Amino acid sequence: MTGSAVLMDRIYRRQRHIYDFTRKYYLLGRDRLIQRLTPPPGSRVLEIGCGTARNLVAAARAYPDVEFYGIDISSEMLDTARHTIVRKGLTAHIQVAQADATHFDPAILFGVPGFSRIFISYSLSMIPGWQNVLRQAYARLLPGGELHVVDFGRQERLPWLFKVALRAWLRLFHVHPRDDLEGELKRQGIPGTIERPFLGYFQQAVCRRSA
């Protein structure tokens, strides 16, 4: 088990039981992302950093004719995810596996070559090698596929004290907002658009691979 996996398991061993209840108040934009996925019928969608499967369950209900997959480095979170998927009666629609988002092979994990949609919800800010995650995700898109990202933004238009306090609190959970997300996408040649709603509290990117 890698050091990142050990750290994530330590963080979420107890938090996973209250994660969804507490995070709904400040992980803004997740449902908006799901609404914008609009995957083609019969396609495949991957969530990187699927956690408790909260997003996968919501997406599977919104798009019942689509196959969903999720990866996470934390075995603790995946344990909760699998129980949730069974409890919601979605085992035929969602598969999850343990993997490092900086280097993974969907053919080995799930027996599929790629995905029409890949989304990353508040995970980039917790992954040290987040640049490689973007590279991997874009490479795993099928032609015409889309990468959707939502995460903490720069908070550039929020009160300075709020920003300082928020970031100090996030650091306690090893969360580091990726202020250079837009720049990194450009450096990697990944075309896309970025929005920064709620005074920059969060940022949302949509990147499309050419057909």
Side-chain angles (χ1 to χ4, degrees):
M1 187 181 293
T2 66
S4 295
V6 171
L7 175 61
M8 291 299 102
D9 278 349
R10 186 168 71 247
I11 291 173
Y12 290 119
R13 184 164 291 117
R14 293 181 177 82
Q15 281 194 46
R16 64 192 176 101
H17 300 295
I18 60 171
Y19 184 90
D20 291 334
F21 174 76
T22 57
R23 266 57 176 184
K24 69 180 181 180
Y25 297 107
Y26 63 89
L27 298 188
L28 307 180
R30 295 181 298 171
D31 292 333
R32 183 186 191 204
L33 179 153
I34 292 169
Q35 291 169 3
R36 293 182 170 188
L37 283 177
T38 60
S43 63
R44 296 184 296 269
V45 175
L46 171 72
E47 180 179 16
I48 292 176
C50 64
T52 64
R54 180 265 185 195
N55 295 329
L56 286 173
V57 168
R61 286 174 168 171
Y63 308 105
D65 52 357
V66 172
E67 297 177 6
F68 287 90
Y69 302 83
I71 62 172
D72 203 286
I73 201 168
S74 169
S75 59
E76 295 285 345
M77 287 296 243
L78 287 173
D79 184 58
T80 295
R82 292 187 178 101
H83 281 89
T84 298
I85 293 165
V86 171
R87 190 173 71 252
K88 301 295 184 180
L90 292 169
T91 54
H93 300 282
I94 303 173
Q95 296 183 49
V96 296
Q98 186 173 25
D100 186 332
T102 62
H103 56 274
F104 65 94
D105 187 340
I108 294 174
L109 293 172
F110 303 114
V112 301
F115 306 92
S116 294
R117 301 286 187 273
I118 295 177
F119 67 99
I120 311 172
S121 172
Y122 287 93
S123 294
L124 283 183
S125 51
M126 296 197 70
I127 302 174
W130 64 279
Q131 299 93 336
N132 288 332
V133 177
L134 293 173
R135 188 175 294 109
Q136 282 285 314
Y138 193 68
R140 302 305 181 186
L141 286 174
L142 297 173
E146 294 177 358
L147 168 63
H148 292 245
V149 178
V150 65
D151 214 310
F152 292 105
R154 299 172 183 167
Q155 297 99 39
E156 67 272 17
R157 300 189 303 279
L158 287 168
W160 179 78
L161 283 177
F162 178 89
K163 176 180 178 177
V164 170
L166 173 64
R167 293 194 169 211
W169 181 70
L170 291 174
R171 283 194 297 272
L172 297 176
F173 302 95
H174 301 272
V175 176
H176 304 278
R178 305 309 181 187
D179 293 343
D180 196 30
L181 173 60
E182 185 173 12
E184 183 60 30
L185 290 172
K186 289 179 179 178
R187 280 190 290 273
Q188 293 192 29
I190 299 176
T193 59
I194 289 196
E195 299 175 60
R196 298 185 177 90
F198 292 92
L199 302 179
Y201 178 84
F202 71 91
Q203 55 187 332
Q204 193 158 6
V206 179
C207 309
R208 184 176 178 85
R209 186 167 184 176
S210 58

